[in-house]
Amino acid sequence: MSSSALLSSVLDRIDQTQEQAIERLCALLRIPSISTQPTHAQDCRAAAEWLKNTLTDLGMNAALHDVKWAGPGHPMVVGHAPKQPNKPHVLFYGHYDVQPTDPEHLWTAPAFEPRIVEEPSGRKVLVARGASDDKGQVMTFLEACRAWKEIHGELPITISVLLEGEEECGGANLLPFLKENAESLKADVVLVCDTAMADRKTPGITTSLRGLMAEEVRIKCASHDLHSGIYGNAAANPIAVLCKVLAELRAEDGSVTLPGFYDGVADPSDDVRARWKQLFPNDASLLEEAGLSVSAGEKKYTAVEQTWCRPSCEINGISGGYEGEGFKTVLPSVAMAKVSFRLVPGQDPERLRAVFRDFVKARLPEDASVTFTSHGGSTGFAVSETSPFLKPALEALTDEWNVPAATVGSGGSIPVAGEVHEALGLDTLLIGFAQSDDRIHSPNEQYGLDSFHKGTRSWARVLARFADLA
Amino acid sequence: MSSSALLSSVLDRIDQTQEQAIERLCALLRIPSISTQPTHAQDCRAAAEWLKNTLTDLGMNAALHDVKWAGPGHPMVVGHAPKQPNKPHVLFYGHYDVQPTDPEHLWTAPAFEPRIVEEPSGRKVLVARGASDDKGQVMTFLEACRAWKEIHGELPITISVLLEGEEECGGANLLPFLKENAESLKADVVLVCDTAMADRKTPGITTSLRGLMAEEVRIKCASHDLHSGIYGNAAANPIAVLCKVLAELRAEDGSVTLPGFYDGVADPSDDVRARWKQLFPNDASLLEEAGLSVSAGEKKYTAVEQTWCRPSCEINGISGGYEGEGFKTVLPSVAMAKVSFRLVPGQDPERLRAVFRDFVKARLPEDASVTFTSHGGSTGFAVSETSPFLKPALEALTDEWNVPAATVGSGGSIPVAGEVHEALGLDTLLIGFAQSDDRIHSPNEQYGLDSFHKGTRSWARVLARFADLA
């Protein structure tokens, strides 16, 4: 029996069990597995245990693996299904950790109490922290596996699964873990479900990704907070020092001013630019979901080029002095900012970290000192368009969505793509069903029930196509 | 009997009852009368009641007066002692409200549990929020009155007292209250104890003060917080917009760049500059208590000139994006800063408020909007050096401290000086015993027991000198 004949009953099974699948996803969403906050360490472990049990249900040999190379040490979940002779072997990667939930007051309901909301268009979405990034997306793959297993008693190809708990907090343990377990994790290709569709109707495979270099900068001037009346004008103000340094990170034309920042950065091909232009004919079409209309980056690139293939510099947080209600005439001792750079292939995060630190230090007045904290670094990545798995995956997506699947870029950072290439020598296919208005990392994060349902069906089709590759 | 003969027993009484005086001050310090925080409204009223009872103890006809012109509406405390025929009439002004206590974790003990700490030099200080600003200073005057009353059965001159509860939060009710009660509050001179000594050994009367214009600026770009990977580069970042605007408020030479900011601002006379230079021979001598060495303001003025007679611009607080532990790759929707300008005579706070708002609006990119919140405004003030009360007050201070008393400037804002001039036509003598290392507005605020004791004795002497004026 061909795998396409087997597929039909699997798709029926997915349609018939959608309600139970949603309930399983909600159970995972109720675990507040915020990886950056030490108070949630036990919750991270609970999410890992829950997933290990799910993998065991799918017939896998599954276990938690402690990580030991860097903090915070949330465990890896690894599962291996029985080998299918003469079939490809895929390694599926996802993450069970989620972003913090602040600002809490902007959530319309508690972040870890998932609920289904109907949008004005009639589309239903599941709202909860992690609904899209990445629990909902991970569960599309695992539910596809579940349907195959329940209908046919086994999976159509050889599948291993690796789920980490530190993707949202630097993920410093992933690369050494991959290296130490290279033998058992080695497969033919890596699949990741942590990206968005090309647009709401067009499925896509992401073939370029940005890396990340993140720094926390603390500037200190006076030995203690001062009265701004008594010292104002004469005493160095660390907020003013910080603002001046940060303001100088971008030139008038929107480019980043760090020396050598763009060294080694290649422009996209005319072909790629033309394809992107079809997806986003103007800047407003990319920005409108954010309530914006004009791109803020380098003036000589379109908004989609700015986010998919140009490196960026963003201030992700700033804090200093009195931030509460009313006013306090304080001249603070310390001010802090969190700054991140999205990187593209050709940029070295650690070289640029050193350049950034020198840039800040060179702009400090006398009496000001600075301390830096590294919050991770990863290189940008471009996926080979010649991988034998790319075409069948695009075909499977096209079958499910009835629209030709696209290859797209992504502005986000998914370090695993670069790291599996480094540690295991494998290509990665980034296939995701998120939408750009899923509000990932923001209050009221959501995942469309259409994304969840058709995403699950898409994976079932991808597995069938891969089974036919053998 | 001359007042100087009467004085000696009053000074003895102050010496003998210092312990009880400290205990009374501690009772007032235990009331957390933070005026900017609505949750402390009842505490503000409790502090007002406590002071009303104290004034009643001193033989005054005392009452609370509700204010009605602006929020938050903490009551005025007013007391009138019986008229002393043919003696001057002074109106003493102070405030019972205190600053917020954040950052709480830098206090070595709770802010409203006063305690006596011995410094390495052997000097003892009372540590608590409000110890110096202004409860400790207010109590020097009231304890001097208490000693006169207890020893001689009456005060040596006619004394009225006005204590407000909104000095730290804009004080918008003071001027209308003064105007409505001008008849009953009219005196010959106003005395205020809310300033510092010229230095640790030299008493001083402050004859110039800066005003204040304070604004809260909120910049909004996207409709909601965004993922910095997906939107970074293309979406306007309100923190970056804010930093750029704030960085442009000062030129390279340290001057404030608001158009017309220095219009009407006069330089101090050579004589005044020379006297200030004697007090602070170099910038480091003013800044060393702040752990600094180099002045940060206009390069062509000394640090003491920058703080005593030059207008300033300070960023008192800034906030936006993720400020917690770890990192969050958010591109926030909103960023906020609190900015204040210290003003000198000749500058109009409301004109400059409009100039500041225009300055910000002119620098906003498309897609960014701004909202402003006013946090009060007051003009700068210079006290007449020809007041008949100035010389006897300087003599009284010289007697107590055995060092010639100085006339000094102050960078802080004490709006009452300008407002009593406007509403009552009166001069104000600003006589204070604080030290520049009292950490007012900061964690571990303190007031030297020497300031408290000799400050009380100083006021006893001032009252005796004024009694001889008649």
Side-chain angles (χ1 to χ4, degrees):
Chain A
M1 203 166 168
S2 80
S3 58
S4 62
L6 295 170
L7 175 64
S8 165
S9 52
V10 172
L11 296 177
D12 288 347
R13 177 72 176 184
I14 290 169
D15 294 346
Q16 289 151 10
T17 59
Q18 192 57 13
E19 211 165 299
Q20 297 94 301
I22 292 169
E23 192 32 59
R24 284 187 286 267
L25 171 55
C26 287
L28 178 57
L29 291 171
R30 286 186 195 103
I31 306 173
S33 48
I34 302 172
S35 56
T36 59
Q37 297 176 347
T39 52
H40 286 285
Q42 279 311 310
D43 298 314
C44 288
R45 184 164 288 270
E49 288 282 357
W50 190 96
L51 284 161
K52 186 198 78 176
N53 294 337
T54 296
L55 297 185
T56 305
D57 278 358
L58 300 180
M60 297 190 191
N61 181 7
L64 299 197
H65 296 256
D66 285 329
V67 292
K68 56 195 178 187
W69 298 272
H74 305 308
M76 299 281 177
V77 185
V78 178
H80 297 287
K83 191 164 168 51
Q84 298 294 329
N86 304 318
K87 298 290 181 185
H89 181 186
V90 302
L91 173 63
F92 178 85
Y93 164 89
H95 65 91
Y96 62 80
D97 62 324
V98 299
Q99 284 276 319
T101 55
D102 67 286
E104 297 272 1
H105 68 281
L106 295 183
W107 287 80
T108 54
F112 296 106
E113 293 177 16
R115 62 224 173 270
I116 292 170
V117 173
E118 189 168 326
E119 297 187 329
S121 65
R123 180 176 178 245
K124 287 183 179 167
V125 299
L126 188 58
V127 180
R129 170 57 83 229
S132 177
D133 179 19
D134 185 35
K135 289 174 175 174
Q137 302 242 61
V138 163
M139 291 301 283
T140 58
F141 185 83
L142 299 185
E143 290 295 337
C145 291
R146 182 183 296 272
W148 270 103
K149 178 75 164 56
E150 288 180 356
I151 293 294
H152 301 298
E154 60 181 8
L155 300 174
I157 58 173
T158 305
I159 296 177
S160 296
V161 172
L162 166 62
L163 304 169
E164 80 158 314
E166 302 181 0
E167 201 271 348
E168 303 290 7
C169 62
N173 284 304
L174 181 60
L175 183 59
F177 181 80
L178 289 170
K179 286 180 172 169
E180 186 163 296
N181 297 278
E183 192 60 37
S184 62
L185 295 172
K186 186 92 180 181
D188 299 312
V189 71
V190 176
L191 302 177
V192 175
C193 190
D194 199 13
T195 47
M197 287 173 56
D199 61 34
R200 198 179 287 286
K201 296 190 181 313
T202 313
I205 299 184
T206 302
T207 55
S208 74
L209 279 175
R210 294 194 292 190
L212 181 74
M213 187 277 280
E215 286 276 285
E216 185 171 314
V217 183
R218 286 176 72 84
I219 290 179
K220 179 168 183 176
C221 293
S223 54
H224 56 277
D225 284 0
L226 305 174
H227 186 297
S228 74
I230 294 174
Y231 284 100
N233 252 3
N237 182 327
I239 303 178
V241 172
L242 186 60
C243 286
K244 193 155 185 304
V245 170
L246 297 177
E248 292 182 14
L249 281 168
R250 291 258 194 189
E252 279 302 315
D253 65 3
S255 63
V256 176
T257 56
L258 291 189
F261 187 68
Y262 295 101
D263 289 358
V265 174
D267 273 345
S269 68
D270 289 347
D271 181 45
V272 164
R273 291 181 113 157
R275 274 192 279 144
W276 289 353
K277 181 124 189 129
Q278 282 196 314
L279 287 169
F280 296 101
N282 54 46
D283 289 356
S285 60
L286 182 138
L287 290 167
E288 64 184 352
E289 274 164 357
L292 300 170
S293 61
V294 182
S295 73
E298 295 164 281
K299 294 199 197 312
K300 58 181 178 168
Y301 292 90
T302 64
V304 63
E305 289 162 6
Q306 285 173 23
T307 54
W308 284 4
C309 73
R310 297 298 295 172
S312 78
C313 164
E314 294 298 344
I315 309 163
N316 304 99
I318 194 164
S319 169
Y322 183 65
E323 304 176 26
E325 201 176 345
F327 210 91
K328 187 174 164 186
T329 50
V330 65
L331 203 166
S333 165
V334 173
M336 179 282 293
K338 298 182 192 253
V339 182
S340 67
F341 298 85
R342 296 281 168 176
L343 306 181
V344 302
Q347 291 182 301
D348 175 353
E350 295 313 316
R351 185 184 75 80
L352 288 175
R353 190 188 306 285
V355 170
F356 171 72
R357 291 182 177 189
D358 287 345
F359 181 94
V360 174
K361 286 184 212 155
R363 281 158 181 78
L364 294 186
E366 276 191 87
D367 283 343
S369 62
V370 63
T371 52
F372 297 98
T373 306
S374 164
H375 285 288
S378 63
T379 52
F381 186 68
V383 178
S384 163
E385 297 213 11
T386 62
S387 161
F389 294 94
L390 183 58
K391 187 161 165 281
L394 287 168
E395 288 167 352
L397 294 174
T398 300
D399 288 347
E400 174 61 26
W401 296 82
N402 276 319
V403 179
T407 58
V408 299
S410 168
S413 302
I414 304 181
V416 66
E419 296 181 355
V420 295
H421 195 266
E422 179 180 344
L424 310 179
L426 297 182
D427 261 340
T428 296
L429 294 188
L430 298 147
I431 302 174
F433 308 99
Q435 297 296 340
S436 57
D437 62 351
D438 278 355
R439 290 192 285 271
I440 67 171
H441 294 204
S442 295
N444 304 310
E445 178 178 347
Q446 66 181 36
Y447 198 49
L449 293 187
D450 51 350
S451 290
F452 186 56
H453 180 206
K454 289 177 74 67
T456 302
R457 288 173 54 98
S458 296
W459 283 119
R461 291 181 187 274
V462 169
L463 298 184
R465 289 272 176 178
F466 285 3
D468 287 340
L469 269 179
Chain B
M1 204 167 169
S2 84
S3 57
S4 63
L6 295 169
L7 175 64
S8 166
S9 52
V10 172
L11 296 177
D12 288 347
R13 177 71 177 185
I14 290 169
D15 296 347
Q16 289 150 11
T17 60
Q18 193 57 13
E19 211 165 301
Q20 297 93 301
I22 292 169
E23 193 32 59
R24 284 187 287 266
L25 171 55
C26 287
L28 178 57
L29 290 171
R30 286 186 195 104
I31 306 172
S33 49
I34 302 172
S35 56
T36 59
Q37 297 176 346
T39 51
H40 286 286
Q42 280 310 310
D43 297 315
C44 288
R45 185 163 287 269
E49 288 282 355
W50 189 96
L51 284 161
K52 186 198 79 176
N53 294 337
T54 297
L55 297 185
T56 305
D57 278 357
L58 300 179
M60 295 189 193
N61 181 8
L64 300 197
H65 297 257
D66 285 329
V67 292
K68 57 195 177 186
W69 298 272
H74 305 310
M76 299 280 176
V77 186
V78 177
H80 297 288
K83 189 163 171 52
Q84 297 293 329
N86 302 320
K87 298 290 183 187
H89 180 188
V90 303
L91 171 64
F92 178 84
Y93 164 90
H95 64 92
Y96 61 80
D97 63 323
V98 300
Q99 284 275 320
T101 55
D102 67 286
E104 297 273 0
H105 68 280
L106 295 181
W107 286 81
T108 54
F112 295 106
E113 294 177 15
R115 60 222 175 270
I116 292 170
V117 173
E118 190 167 325
E119 297 186 328
S121 65
R123 179 176 177 246
K124 288 184 179 165
V125 298
L126 188 58
V127 179
R129 170 58 82 230
S132 176
D133 180 18
D134 185 37
K135 289 174 176 174
Q137 301 241 62
V138 163
M139 291 300 285
T140 58
F141 185 84
L142 300 185
E143 290 295 337
C145 291
R146 182 184 295 273
W148 270 103
K149 179 76 163 58
E150 288 180 355
I151 293 294
H152 300 298
E154 61 181 11
L155 300 173
I157 59 173
T158 305
I159 295 178
S160 296
V161 172
L162 167 62
L163 304 169
E164 79 158 314
E166 302 181 359
E167 201 270 351
E168 302 291 6
C169 61
N173 283 305
L174 181 61
L175 183 60
F177 182 81
L178 289 171
K179 286 180 172 170
E180 186 162 298
N181 297 278
E183 192 60 34
S184 62
L185 295 171
K186 186 94 181 180
D188 299 313
V189 72
V190 176
L191 302 177
V192 175
C193 191
D194 199 15
T195 47
M197 287 173 57
D199 62 33
R200 200 179 285 289
K201 295 187 181 317
T202 313
I205 298 184
T206 302
T207 54
S208 73
L209 279 175
R210 294 194 291 189
L212 182 73
M213 187 275 282
E215 286 276 284
E216 185 170 314
V217 182
R218 287 176 72 84
I219 290 179
K220 178 167 184 177
C221 293
S223 55
H224 56 278
D225 283 1
L226 306 174
H227 186 297
S228 74
I230 294 174
Y231 284 101
N233 252 2
N237 183 327
I239 303 178
V241 171
L242 185 61
C243 286
K244 193 154 184 303
V245 170
L246 297 177
E248 291 182 15
L249 281 169
R250 292 260 194 189
E252 279 302 314
D253 66 2
S255 63
V256 176
T257 55
L258 291 189
F261 187 68
Y262 296 101
D263 288 358
V265 174
D267 273 345
S269 67
D270 290 347
D271 181 46
V272 164
R273 291 181 112 157
R275 275 192 277 144
W276 289 353
K277 181 123 191 134
Q278 282 196 314
L279 287 169
F280 296 100
N282 54 47
D283 289 356
S285 60
L286 183 137
L287 290 167
E288 64 184 353
E289 274 163 358
L292 300 170
S293 62
V294 182
S295 73
E298 294 163 282
K299 294 200 198 313
K300 58 180 177 170
Y301 293 90
T302 64
V304 63
E305 289 162 7
Q306 285 174 22
T307 54
W308 285 4
C309 73
R310 296 299 294 173
S312 76
C313 164
E314 294 298 345
I315 309 163
N316 304 99
I318 194 164
S319 169
Y322 184 65
E323 304 177 26
E325 202 176 342
F327 210 89
K328 186 174 166 187
T329 50
V330 65
L331 202 167
S333 166
V334 172
M336 180 283 295
K338 298 182 192 250
V339 182
S340 66
F341 298 85
R342 297 281 168 175
L343 307 180
V344 302
Q347 291 181 302
D348 175 353
E350 295 314 317
R351 185 185 76 79
L352 289 174
R353 189 187 307 284
V355 170
F356 171 72
R357 291 183 176 189
D358 288 344
F359 181 95
V360 174
K361 287 183 214 157
R363 281 158 181 77
L364 293 187
E366 276 191 87
D367 283 341
S369 61
V370 63
T371 52
F372 297 97
T373 306
S374 164
H375 285 288
S378 62
T379 52
F381 186 69
V383 179
S384 163
E385 297 212 12
T386 62
S387 160
F389 294 93
L390 183 57
K391 186 160 167 280
L394 288 167
E395 288 167 352
L397 294 173
T398 302
D399 288 349
E400 174 61 27
W401 296 83
N402 275 318
V403 180
T407 59
V408 300
S410 168
S413 302
I414 305 182
V416 66
E419 296 181 356
V420 296
H421 195 267
E422 179 180 345
L424 311 178
L426 296 181
D427 262 341
T428 296
L429 295 187
L430 299 148
I431 303 174
F433 308 99
Q435 296 295 340
S436 57
D437 62 352
D438 278 355
R439 291 192 284 270
I440 67 172
H441 295 204
S442 295
N444 303 310
E445 177 178 347
Q446 65 180 34
Y447 198 49
L449 293 187
D450 51 349
S451 290
F452 185 56
H453 181 206
K454 289 176 73 67
T456 303
R457 289 173 51 99
S458 295
W459 282 119
R461 291 180 188 274
V462 168
L463 298 184
R465 288 273 178 177
F466 284 3
D468 286 341
L469 268 179

